[in-house]
Structures are given as structure tokens and as C-alpha cells.
Amino acid sequence: MKKSIVIAALTIGATILGTNNVQAQNTTATTTVNITLKDVISIDAGSTAIGNTVDFNYVTAADYNSDQTINKANSLKVTSTKNFNVKVKAGGANFMNGTNLIPVNVLTIKAASASGTMGGTKNTVVLSATDQTLVTNAPLGSALTLNLDYTIPAAKSSCSDILGKPAGTYTQTVTYTATAL
């Protein structure tokens, strides 16, 4: 019986000492974490210029004899990992209604007075079928917004560019391109 007690005591003692040895092993681990970045530039969803329309209506004499401005909030929402430019151009030389034409240069596009969160130098652009710089050297950022004013000045709507054209809806696409610097 004494022998059994001694064996039990030695077994318990060995277990305790063995447990202490296990606790004395490594207590830290090191892992490498990689973050891989790619350059990105995107005109983001939520830009009102994507699939939206800008409608000018000439219904009264006063409409033809005054500037008309349509403000579009969040026209462009850009995310870019580098500084960038924004260019704009028309899809052709004229707004079209069948064979009836209005030159695209009747439309002026510029940053609204409350232009949004996009920095850079903003330019007023008289629309044409060639790329023109609307924003120069905008700083990088995420979901940067640009609110735009689309204007047809009275000087264009009260002259033969618009005045005297057959009634109807004249249409043309406007394309914006953001390019990293």
C-alpha cells in the first residue's frame, strides 16, 4: 500500500513537473501580412453622369431670351490613387433630331459654385467633339464629387444656332474621362 502511495505521488509529481515544462515552451508567433496595391482610377457608381439626362426646355419666348442652367449634383464621383485630369467631349459635332441639327458648342459645362469635394483647377468648357480638360491636376482621393452646371446662354438660344430650328428633341451624348497623371 505504501508502495502504491509512493507510485501515485511520483506520478502526480511527474505530471506537475511535465506540465511546467510544457508551459515553458514558445509563447509567441510571428506572421507576415502583405498588402498589395494596384493603381486605380474610376468614375464610380452614383455619378449622375452615368445613364442620366440633362433636359433643356424651350417653351416660351422668355426661355429663348435667357440663359438656362441645369445643375447636376454628384455629376462625377471619382476614386483615384494618383492625381488626375477629367476631360469631356460630345459624341459628335451636333445635337440631332433626325436630319435637323444644333451645334454642340451651344452648351457650356463648368463646375458649379458649390463644386463638391474634387480639388484641382476647374475649367469652363464650350462643348465640342474633341476632348477638352474640365478639371486639371485633381488630387487623389476616394469618391471625390464634382457638381456640374450645364448652361445654354441666351446668346446661343436667341440666334440661329437654336432659334428657328424645327420643334422636337435634339440629342447628343457627352463623355467624361478621368485619367491618372
Side-chain angles (χ1 to χ4, degrees):
M1 178 90 154
K2 257 187 185 180
K3 197 174 192 182
S4 294
I5 293 175
V6 171
I7 290 175
L10 288 175
T11 302
I12 292 171
T15 302
I16 292 172
L17 290 175
T19 303
N20 285 341
N21 287 341
V22 170
Q23 290 176 350
Q25 293 180 3
N26 290 336
T27 58
T28 62
T30 303
T31 298
T32 300
V33 176
N34 296 319
I35 299 175
T36 303
L37 302 176
K38 301 272 184 183
D39 287 332
V40 169
I41 188 159
S42 171
I43 296 177
D44 301 337
S47 297
T48 59
I50 298 174
N52 209 330
T53 60
V54 177
D55 295 315
F56 288 93
N57 294 300
Y58 290 88
V59 179
T60 68
D63 294 335
Y64 285 94
N65 292 309
S66 61
D67 293 349
Q68 281 201 33
T69 298
I70 309 291
N71 176 270
K72 289 291 188 174
N74 298 318
S75 292
L76 297 174
K77 233 177 165 182
V78 176
T79 295
S80 181
T81 56
K82 295 185 182 270
N83 289 10
F84 60 96
N85 290 339
V86 175
K87 293 187 177 187
V88 61
K89 71 176 181 177
N94 297 291
F95 291 95
M96 299 183 298
N97 176 6
T99 59
N100 301 307
L101 307 174
I102 295 175
V104 294
N105 69 0
V106 300
L107 181 64
T108 300
I109 302 172
K110 68 176 185 172
S113 56
S115 63
T117 60
M118 186 182 297
T121 303
K122 280 109 178 159
N123 304 301
T124 299
V125 171
V126 175
L127 191 60
S128 76
T130 58
D131 270 328
Q132 296 182 77
T133 304
L134 183 62
V135 180
T136 304
N137 199 26
L140 60 92
S142 179
L144 301 171
T145 59
L146 180 63
N147 304 322
L148 292 176
D149 283 343
Y150 295 81
T151 301
I152 297 178
K156 294 292 187 175
S157 60
S158 64
C159 76
S160 62
D161 285 344
I162 292 178
L163 195 63
K165 300 290 183 183
T169 301
Y170 293 75
T171 304
Q172 185 52 264
T173 58
V174 175
T175 302
Y176 297 92
T177 305
T179 307
L181 299 177

